[in-house]
Amino acid sequence: MITYSRDDDGIVTLTLDDPGQSANTMNATYVAAMSAAVDRLHAERDTVTGVIVTSAKKTFFAGGDLPSMARATPEDAPALFKLLSTIKGDFRRLETYGRPVVAAINGAALGGGLEVALACHHRIALDTPGTRLGFPEVTLGLLPGAGGVTRTVRMLGLAPALTTWLLTGRRYRPADALAHGLVDALASTPAEMLTQAREWILANPDAAQPWDREGYRIPGGLPAAQLPAYPATLRKQLKGASLPAPEKILATAVEGAQVDFETAQVIETRHLITLLTGRIAKNMIGALFFDMRAVNGGLARPAVEVPPATRVAVLGAGMMGAGIAQACAKAGLPVVVKDVTPELAARAAGPGITTTADVADLAGCDVVIEAVFEDPALKRDVFAEVLPVVAPDALLASNTSTLPITGLAEGVSRPGDFIGMHFFSPVGKMPLLEIVVGARTSDAAVARAFDLGRRIGKTPIVVNDGRGFFTSRVIGTFIDEAIGMLAEGVPAPSIEHAALQAGYPTGPLALADEVSLTLVQRIRRQFEAASDSYERLPSHELVDAMVDKHDRPGRSSGRGFYAYGEEKRTGLWDGLVSLATPEGRSVPLADLRDRFLFAEALDAQRCLAEGVLRTAEDGNIGSILGIGYPAWTGGVLRFADQHDDFRGRAAELAARYGDRFAPV
């Protein structure tokens, strides 16, 4: 696991190289090897002038051993405390060794990997495109517990450590990590990095950590007057949601800053163990590590060999079309964007992108992605125009968010090559791609769409056809529930606050404005037209009144559930009160929160039962990445599975608020 070599200058290089994994992690193999390496360093101290810690992998160190973390129970707390104390003890023996220690960071150093580097006196990062440094633990419901909080606070000061590194989960490029204080130097090649490391060791024989030098004070001191404001600031950042990981990170940082280093380490360990043995961290690790790995690894991809995409045609140069074109071009694919006029097509211009109004320019494209207005006739027309020109076996994809793929495929001569590729807006930021399989879509088309999605950096879930598919259907349930609450007489601020406190990234009424109430209305009317048994709800009446009577179609028009000024929300519209049921009713905040969470979870269970969802993993990842289901739940289906009494609570909600909450 760790190769130990000493050169003629007495510099020892510890090379991390786990023989059983493609990346180094803080597993049992590492722990034993690091203890042995530090033991040997101390035994041979008189012959050592310095130490370089580096890696033989493509990355430096991937972080903690998440599979073992996910199994931790409260009964494991004593063993976890002992394990963490061993890891921290070895780091402490390394940084107090009395010889300069340099981290030569030859690739990504995330979480535990960055903690390895922080236990060194000097950090040199290889400045390559793939190198990232950061503490993603907060995004998994954890905290950096191998000294990460303690050292970062002592290195940078309380506020910079929290706001830049610990609470954000951000992964920084080497230059940004240098600017933000956790990296000391950059190198352009591995050889240069090791040369810099040796030179620094020889120039700094008395190196020590700042906190081990006499007279050390935390940068900026302890802002005693500001300490009471930290919890309030965090609460504001979390929009009222109660999430244990950021709260524990704040507590660890503030408590640890007021005691000596060793005591701070113990505080950090105890807070991490509380998170490790809790439910929320298991939910988040389950979704954002295990489910994500399964989905990106091709869990739902048919096992067929298909050729890679070579040239992409995008039909429509609006916001979605331009975003799709840019994502493909960024991945190195030649892209041709067609619209009805050269001027409209030019909206999508960019590096690697050709824009045109001439269908002949699409000759040879082996992927077609249509991103025009949500109108079935228009979509069929644009495909009919390009089919004679593009490659005879081109993948034919529609970026529809709701229209059934099977119906759209009836307008093309090759329905086996026709598929849905539902991108999310803005395409450049949203990581999810929902691949929708029609009744006649071939396995080869699914595999080609999946491979293209991975190539352009998306996480592709694969779902079967159905109106609204998975994501649009389930997020529609969320918006419907909110508007239904409004129709019941629940105050609009309570609706928005309940969703935020449940952990949703935005309130459902604000989201409805962003989507546009006109689109919500049009999709619902399409549903009504397609079904003889579609139930009309009070929320539908309210949307119709907002659009048709009050001319408040949403944010794009500056008028919706919210009022807008200078393109910003200025507050909820005063007229909402007049749209509610006059008598109204008081609904407990806990019921409001659960109505959102349960409405989506129950609909997701129906999607799985009906075969719209192919796998639970796709449902969990799709709900978190695509429609903002709270990450602390571990995803929409995991929320139901891990709830103490999901069916009982659902039955309780059904008795109070309607049969839509009846357990599946």
Side-chain angles (χ1 to χ4, degrees):
M1 172 71 204
I2 299 178
T3 302
Y4 185 111
S5 63
R6 184 172 65 243
D7 65 14
D8 293 340
D9 291 322
I11 297 174
V12 171
T13 300
L14 301 180
T15 305
L16 310 173
D17 189 10
D18 191 321
Q21 299 185 139
S22 60
N24 298 311
T25 62
M26 210 167 274
N27 57 17
T29 305
Y30 158 81
V31 175
M34 181 57 83
S35 292
V38 176
D39 285 345
R40 183 173 175 183
L41 282 172
H42 278 267
E44 300 178 3
R45 185 175 182 276
D46 291 343
T47 63
V48 176
T49 57
V51 182
I52 299 172
V53 182
T54 192
S55 166
K57 306 289 190 186
K58 292 180 180 179
T59 57
F60 178 70
F61 201 101
D65 183 16
L66 288 175
S68 65
M69 289 181 179
R71 296 190 294 267
T73 66
E75 290 71 29
D76 296 321
L80 286 169
F81 190 91
K82 183 178 179 181
L83 173 65
L84 286 163
S85 297
T86 298
I87 293 170
K88 290 180 166 183
D90 288 336
F91 283 168
R92 193 70 181 128
R93 290 198 295 153
L94 189 64
E95 69 183 358
T96 59
Y97 178 49
R99 298 288 186 269
V101 184
V102 178
I105 306 168
N106 61 300
L110 299 171
L114 186 52
E115 290 176 303
V116 172
L118 290 182
C120 302
H121 305 124
H122 190 71
R123 285 155 296 283
I124 306 168
L126 191 61
D127 194 7
T128 58
T131 299
R132 294 291 184 274
L133 301 98
F135 292 116
E137 282 89 344
V138 69
T139 65
L140 295 173
L142 301 171
L143 61 81
V149 177
T150 303
R151 288 187 174 86
T152 304
V153 167
R154 278 163 170 72
M155 193 173 290
L156 304 178
L158 198 56
L162 287 167
T163 59
T164 302
W165 291 96
L166 300 171
L167 289 174
T168 66
R170 285 189 60 183
R171 304 171 184 217
Y172 290 98
R173 292 180 173 86
D176 295 325
L178 175 68
H180 290 305
L182 286 194
V183 165
D184 301 302
L186 304 180
S188 56
T189 67
E192 179 193 344
M193 178 179 62
L194 293 174
T195 297
Q196 282 190 36
R198 290 188 176 93
E199 290 174 348
W200 193 88
I201 285 170
L202 296 174
N204 295 272
D206 298 322
Q209 297 284 35
W211 45 90
D212 290 324
R213 294 190 182 277
E214 190 174 347
Y216 164 80
R217 292 188 62 204
I218 289 178
L222 275 178
Q226 299 175 31
L227 286 181
Y230 276 86
T233 302
L234 178 61
R235 191 79 169 167
K236 183 178 180 181
Q237 290 173 349
L238 297 177
K239 301 177 182 177
S242 181
L243 300 178
E247 292 168 1
K248 291 293 186 186
I249 288 172
L250 176 60
T252 301
V254 172
E255 293 166 13
Q258 300 177 78
V259 295
D260 64 89
F261 187 90
E262 299 299 344
T263 305
Q265 292 269 69
V266 174
I267 290 170
E268 181 185 272
T269 297
R270 287 174 173 164
H271 282 311
L272 174 59
I273 290 172
T274 301
L275 294 173
L276 275 174
T277 57
R279 168 52 58 185
I280 288 177
K282 287 178 173 53
N283 290 347
M284 297 178 78
I285 293 170
L288 298 173
F289 179 73
F290 290 106
D291 289 354
M292 186 79 79
R293 185 171 65 176
V295 168
N296 281 331
L299 175 69
R301 182 195 184 280
V304 295
E305 292 292 327
V306 293
T310 61
R311 193 164 187 253
V312 178
V314 177
L315 311 181
M319 183 176 68
M320 288 300 297
I324 294 167
Q326 288 162 9
C328 292
K330 187 177 178 182
L333 285 163
V335 182
V336 184
V337 180
K338 182 190 177 299
D339 214 313
V340 293
T341 68
E343 293 76 19
L344 288 174
R347 294 177 298 174
I353 300 172
T354 301
T355 63
T356 186
D358 186 352
V359 69
D361 290 332
L362 305 184
C365 289
D366 57 355
V367 175
V368 179
I369 303 176
E370 163 273 307
V372 301
F373 188 69
E374 288 282 85
D375 177 85
L378 175 61
K379 292 179 183 290
R380 291 190 186 106
D381 287 346
V382 297
F383 275 112
E385 181 186 23
V386 305
L387 272 172
V389 178
V390 299
D393 60 348
L395 179 69
L396 309 173
S398 174
N399 177 51
T400 179
S401 59
T402 58
L403 297 174
I405 294 301
T406 301
L408 293 178
E410 292 172 359
V412 301
S413 57
R414 294 187 284 110
D417 292 327
F418 196 89
I419 198 164
M421 291 183 71
H422 174 205
F423 291 83
F424 293 76
S425 182
V427 177
K429 292 185 177 180
M430 294 294 283
L432 192 72
L433 170 65
E434 185 177 32
I435 296 172
V436 187
V437 182
R440 298 173 66 184
T441 303
S442 68
D443 281 354
V446 178
R448 292 172 72 188
F450 185 95
D451 292 351
L452 177 59
R454 292 299 297 139
R455 180 168 176 180
I456 64 176
K458 301 300 179 187
T459 292
I461 64 169
V462 180
V463 304
N464 288 327
D465 201 11
R467 191 162 289 276
F469 321 134
F470 168 63
T471 57
S472 295
R473 168 176 164 174
V474 174
I475 201 170
T477 304
F478 174 61
I479 291 173
D480 262 354
E481 193 62 32
I483 298 173
M485 291 173 181
L486 197 62
E488 292 171 20
V490 178
S494 298
I495 296 169
E496 299 291 79
H497 288 315
L500 295 175
Q501 288 188 14
Y504 287 91
T506 189
L509 302 180
L511 178 63
D513 274 2
E514 296 287 343
V515 170
S516 98
L517 297 179
T518 306
L519 179 60
V520 171
Q521 183 188 60
R522 184 168 70 246
I523 291 171
R524 185 250 304 163
R525 287 176 174 171
Q526 289 172 350
F527 279 34
E528 287 177 333
S531 173
D532 295 333
S533 59
Y534 193 81
E535 181 185 2
R536 191 162 179 85
L537 302 172
S539 61
H540 303 159
E541 305 289 348
L542 197 150
V543 169
D544 289 346
M546 287 287 290
V547 175
D548 301 331
K549 181 178 178 181
H550 299 287
D551 187 28
R552 301 191 68 85
R555 180 166 187 163
S556 61
S557 301
R559 303 178 307 280
F561 288 122
Y562 282 80
Y564 297 87
E566 298 181 356
E567 298 186 1
K568 293 183 179 180
R569 288 196 295 265
T570 58
L572 286 154
W573 177 44
D574 293 339
L576 289 180
V577 177
S578 66
L579 300 180
T581 303
E583 61 273 15
R585 62 168 157 174
S586 176
V587 179
L589 187 61
D591 280 12
L592 295 179
R593 290 195 298 261
D594 277 358
R595 283 174 65 175
F596 290 132
L597 294 167
F598 276 72
E600 291 192 281
L602 288 161
D603 204 26
Q605 287 183 328
R606 295 183 196 104
C607 286
L608 193 62
E610 294 164 14
V612 172
L613 273 176
R614 292 180 163 198
T615 71
E617 290 88 346
D618 280 337
N620 290 327
I621 292 301
S623 67
I624 293 173
L625 298 189
I627 58 176
Y629 200 72
W632 66 263
T633 64
V636 70
L637 291 166
R638 184 172 279 102
F639 171 75
D641 291 341
Q642 59 83 45
H643 194 280
D644 288 338
D645 185 18
F646 184 82
R647 293 183 63 83
R649 178 59 169 153
E652 188 178 277
L653 293 172
R656 294 180 187 174
Y657 305 108
D659 289 342
R660 63 191 178 281
F661 290 106
V664 175

